[in-house]
Amino acid sequence: LDRTPPLHTAKIALLFAGRGGGELGRSGFSGKEEEMINATFGSPQYNDFLNEIGDIVPVKDLEFYSGGLDTENFTDGTHALIWMSNNDPRKTKTTSGCGERMVLFHCPTLMSEDSGYNNR
């Protein structure tokens, strides 16, 4: 029970499909899944979208639910995108019980470039 998060959780993959995702920008976008998963950054519009749907937070602050992201060695990157119901933006710890539901968006563009393909 001590590892059960005190809120309802979900993990949703959010991929960037377009020009400007690292290697994608050089050769154009072919729409292949591998290119979307390996994208290292998104367009300014994509980044604006991320900021509209949630908060980008340090992975180290994901106390109750990390969606499988590495919170000790940060091999999956240092930041994650989350949304919480009833979230108070003034709180520094994002999972301190301030919401009833939490969605962690699994965004390869926020992950370390050294993350393996299977982790992305």
Side-chain angles (χ1 to χ4, degrees):
L1 288 174
D2 62 339
R3 293 186 183 203
T4 303
L7 36 94
H8 298 283
T9 59
K11 178 171 69 170
I12 299 172
L14 190 59
L15 303 176
F16 175 69
R19 294 187 185 276
E23 293 297 318
L24 298 177
R26 294 189 186 136
S27 60
F29 177 65
S30 70
K32 293 182 180 176
E33 178 181 337
E34 184 175 348
E35 289 179 342
M36 291 186 283
I37 290 172
N38 285 324
T40 56
F41 58 88
S43 67
Q45 294 84 0
Y46 174 79
N47 294 328
D48 289 344
F49 173 69
L50 295 183
N51 288 311
E52 289 293 322
I53 64 170
D55 298 308
I56 296 174
V57 300
V59 170
K60 67 181 172 77
D61 288 348
L62 299 175
E63 296 174 356
F64 296 114
Y65 180 70
S66 66
L69 296 177
D70 178 5
T71 59
E72 292 182 19
N73 299 312
F74 310 110
T75 57
D76 299 320
T78 59
H79 289 79
L81 177 67
I82 66 165
W83 172 88
M84 290 189 71
S85 64
N86 304 322
N87 194 13
D88 183 349
R90 295 170 292 177
K91 291 189 183 275
T92 56
K93 292 289 185 177
T94 58
T95 56
S96 58
C98 61
E100 296 173 356
R101 293 172 186 83
M102 176 181 174
V103 176
L104 184 131
F105 294 94
H106 193 87
C107 304
T109 57
L110 293 177
M111 298 179 81
S112 166
E113 290 185 36
D114 296 331
S115 292
Y117 179 82
N118 291 332
N119 289 349
R120 293 177 150 262

